[in-house]
Amino acid sequence: MKERITIHRPYRFLLISLLIAGILLLICVLSTKVRGAEEGNIAIVASTESPPYRMFKDGPPRGVFIDILEAVLQQANLKPRYQVLPFKRCLVDLKTGKADLFIGLFYRPEREAYVIYLKPTIAPSVTKVFYLNKDRAQHIQKWEDLYRLKIGIRDGYKHHPDFDADQRIKKIGVTTEEQSFHMLALKRIDAVLITEETGVYIIDKLGYEKQFAPAPLRLERDNPAYIVMSRKSRLKPHIAALETAIADIVTNGTLESIRQQYLRHK
């Protein structure tokens, strides 16, 4: 006769509880693995709102740099997840590794401590112009003319080594380029320093074409901009694929085609 095994009620509840806990633990482990696999191809992209290069308001992510980045990421089998932040915060997140990528960062030797500049460049040079009210546009003919003016600049940005270092120039930091042009319209500042293509785009967007004009003095230099990766990013194994993709869109005309969609000169 077989011996009957009797499980007392407290122990029965204990076994059921352990079984349920084990099942829940297994579900958590499996879901974590699935989520990890899904997010393994996600690139956290720190970005500013900077028309026409980076635009997130009133529509999907778009702009010269955003479209370029998405073309590169698609070829490298990565997907972007954007975090729209002030520029200084973007740099902080690149330093800490909270963000993987940023597009359109100008080369500065000191930044190599925390970012990797992916080659080739997406913009080899830049021209900065001073916009003034049309009746005053000729007031900036030479460098010394800057000393008697209040000049609006994008806060946290580097503009030109000589301009950035000259403490005699009155620089008024603003959050957005649009803000600087509104301040110029109200005569709270005397001029706006901005990338030429960005200035053309924003003046047209805000309807200031008849009000503002560029000064004769221009700041031109080879100042390449790049897609950069945080040195603490988990995506470093993808660097070769990303650089191949960048080179491809440069040589096959995709990059220039994207630029022509957004940019024009007057």
Side-chain angles (χ1 to χ4, degrees):
M1 185 176 182
K2 292 183 179 180
E3 182 179 358
R4 175 182 290 181
I5 299 175
T6 302
I7 300 177
H8 296 286
R9 188 177 297 273
Y11 295 104
R12 185 182 301 169
F13 286 139
L14 177 61
L15 288 173
I16 293 172
S17 298
L18 290 173
L19 179 61
I20 292 172
I23 293 172
L24 292 174
L25 179 61
L26 179 61
I27 291 172
C28 289
V29 170
L30 291 175
S31 64
T32 299
K33 287 183 177 180
V34 170
R35 187 167 58 252
E38 291 175 346
E39 294 188 355
N41 68 337
I42 297 295
I44 305 301
V45 181
S47 183
T48 59
E49 176 75 22
S50 307
Y53 294 94
R54 312 173 192 89
M55 297 182 285
F56 300 90
K57 295 179 181 177
D58 304 320
R62 63 206 182 282
V64 180
F65 287 161
I66 297 301
D67 289 9
I68 289 171
L69 178 64
E70 294 196 353
V72 169
L73 293 180
Q74 182 178 15
Q75 184 170 324
N77 296 315
L78 294 170
K79 296 179 180 179
R81 181 178 296 164
Y82 296 104
Q83 296 178 341
V84 184
L85 305 164
F87 180 67
K88 289 182 178 179
R89 174 65 186 279
C90 290
L91 297 183
V92 170
D93 283 5
L94 289 169
K95 288 178 182 178
T96 61
K98 190 173 181 180
D100 297 304
L101 302 173
F102 184 91
I103 182 169
L105 192 68
F106 291 121
Y107 178 77
R108 299 287 183 273
E110 63 273 15
R111 290 174 177 165
E112 287 199 280
Y114 57 92
V115 298
I116 300 166
Y117 287 89
L118 303 182
K119 310 295 191 304
T121 175
I122 56 167
S125 62
V126 65
T127 299
K128 297 271 187 169
V129 297
F130 296 94
Y131 277 97
L132 299 87
N133 283 287
K134 279 192 174 180
D135 60 346
R136 303 190 66 197
Q138 299 302 311
H139 286 203
I140 303 180
Q141 299 273 352
K142 57 187 184 302
W143 192 264
E144 290 72 18
D145 293 335
L146 300 175
Y147 297 150
R148 53 191 174 78
L149 303 175
K150 292 185 291 185
I151 300 173
I153 60 171
R154 181 74 179 263
D155 193 33
Y157 278 29
K158 301 287 187 181
H159 300 277
H160 186 280
D162 296 336
F163 180 87
D164 296 336
D166 197 331
Q167 299 300 315
R168 292 169 291 180
I169 301 173
K170 299 182 183 69
K171 303 159 191 167
I172 310 299
V174 297
T175 305
T176 67
E177 283 87 356
E178 288 92 338
Q179 181 186 357
S180 65
F181 281 111
H182 290 317
M183 291 174 67
L184 183 60
L186 295 171
K187 298 184 178 179
R188 292 172 57 190
I189 56 177
D190 302 303
V192 172
L193 177 61
I194 193 169
T195 303
E196 183 175 28
E197 294 165 332
T198 305
V200 169
Y201 180 90
I202 293 178
I203 287 173
D204 182 65
K205 174 186 174 184
L206 299 178
Y208 284 135
E209 305 98 316
K210 296 180 179 179
Q211 190 166 345
F212 303 141
L217 181 65
R218 299 157 62 91
L219 306 183
E220 298 179 344
R221 67 187 295 248
D222 291 334
N223 190 22
Y226 296 87
I227 298 173
V228 298
M229 179 182 291
S230 168
R231 289 195 177 274
K232 294 184 178 180
S233 173
R234 60 186 171 76
L235 298 180
K236 285 194 283 188
H238 295 271
I239 287 177
L242 288 167
E243 292 192 325
T244 297
I246 297 168
D248 286 348
I249 69 165
V250 170
T251 56
N252 67 22
T254 300
L255 187 146
E256 184 58 28
S257 176
I258 291 171
R259 286 176 56 84
Q260 292 301 321
Q261 291 178 35
Y262 293 94
L263 302 178
R264 60 190 177 88
H265 291 278
K266 287 187 177 179

